[in-house]
Amino acid sequence: MIEVIYMEDGIRDHPRSQQILARFPRATVLPCKHYKEVFNPAGQSFRLQKKKPALILAKQTGKLIHPIPPSYGVGGTRNFYFSHLLNCLYDCRYCFLQGMYPSAHYLMFVNFEDFEEEIVRATKTAKEQSWFFSGYDCDSLALESVTGFADHFLPFFKKLDNAWIELRTKSVATRALQNREPLDRAVVAFSFTPQEISTQLEHGVPSVDARIRAMLQLAEQGWKIGLRIDPLIDCADFKDRYAKLFENIFTTLSEHTIHSVSLGAFRMPTGFYKKMEKHYPEEPLFASDLESKGGIIAYRENTEKRLKHSCFELLEKWVSPDKIFTCEA
Ligand code: SF4
């Protein structure tokens, strides 16, 4: 699956780099001084690289945890994200990563222990619970077999009594979770659009039914489940399609297994959107009823309200409203 691995000189002997190299004995390994030499140059073809991304192993430096946008959370007051990985196994047409990064290569930071130190520093004196979102710049679980991210960080979070972790995913690669006791302060959050939209826009993503089965398995084991209905995508028969999605989910999972549901309509910084439009000019999503306001492209206000309101109403039939959170642009 991975044919080329770029490796920063400084982390060549890191045990995590060595483990990954051992997993891909046939890969061509190319040294680099700094990942930016490979990842950052302008003019790379994201679309072409996406067909066969290389893996870049590097060390992340500087600030390792960041505050999340205020509306991204699910009830907490101290909210951060951290990224052990940039980019994703999947290829969703609406994904902002394609607009944000010049390269589609997987960029993995192997210095997990430095992330841990910063998380400990951020939570040490905090009186309130802190939330750490791990699926902001990647899918938290899709590349677990390469990164070992959940396998490493779940035991770490288990030791912290004032920190929550959210694993956000469209993957069914949940073995790292099935192999351990559920954590009290972890939410495994699955993102969904209705199957017809997923087929059209979420390339490589497991089917809705497969994800519901994976959720059920984890919920039965005792993991707290999150639902991320984000982005909402406007379409013909919007309400019927989303009603069917929610019915499928909630006739399979009991309400008490659901920690939170978040709703957010499609939105994106205008600069990212323009880059994505260039990658995929033929994509119908980019001809939707969108407008640019304050540097963000989003559905027109009335459309956005309609989408969120419809879904909120549909969800209220299944789940307590105090578990539903709405993300704003
Ligand atoms: S699963 Fe998430 S991170 Fe991956 S391509 Fe889709 S939207 Fe982007």
Side-chain angles (χ1 to χ4, degrees), residues 173-190:
T174 54
R175 199 164 350 136
L177 285 79
Q178 286 165 31
N179 287 347
R180 69 183 71 248
E181 287 292 303
L183 255 66
D184 283 346
R185 287 177 304 284
V187 173
V188 194
F190 287 82

Side-chain angles (χ1 to χ4, degrees), residues 187-191 215 224-228 257-261:
V187 173
V188 194
F190 287 82
S191 306
M215 284 198 307
K224 293 183 175 69
I225 302 296
L227 295 174
R228 305 293 172 250
T257 65
I258 304 294
H259 169 272
S260 52
V261 184

Side-chain angles (χ1 to χ4, degrees), residues 192-222:
F192 286 99
T193 57
Q195 183 60 61
E196 303 86 335
I197 295 176
S198 182
T199 305
Q200 207 179 329
L201 297 180
E202 298 172 343
H203 302 281
V205 168
S207 70
V208 166
D209 285 348
R211 278 177 275 160
I212 294 176
R213 282 197 297 276
M215 284 198 307
L216 177 64
Q217 205 167 16
L218 292 174
E220 284 178 339
Q221 209 189 322

Side-chain angles (χ1 to χ4, degrees), residues 50 88-92 94-95 97 137-139 170 205:
K50 194 74 196 164
C88 183
L89 178 67
Y90 306 132
D91 191 8
C92 303
Y94 53 72
C95 180
L97 298 176
D137 288 316
C138 63
D139 182 291
K170 289 192 183 90
V205 168

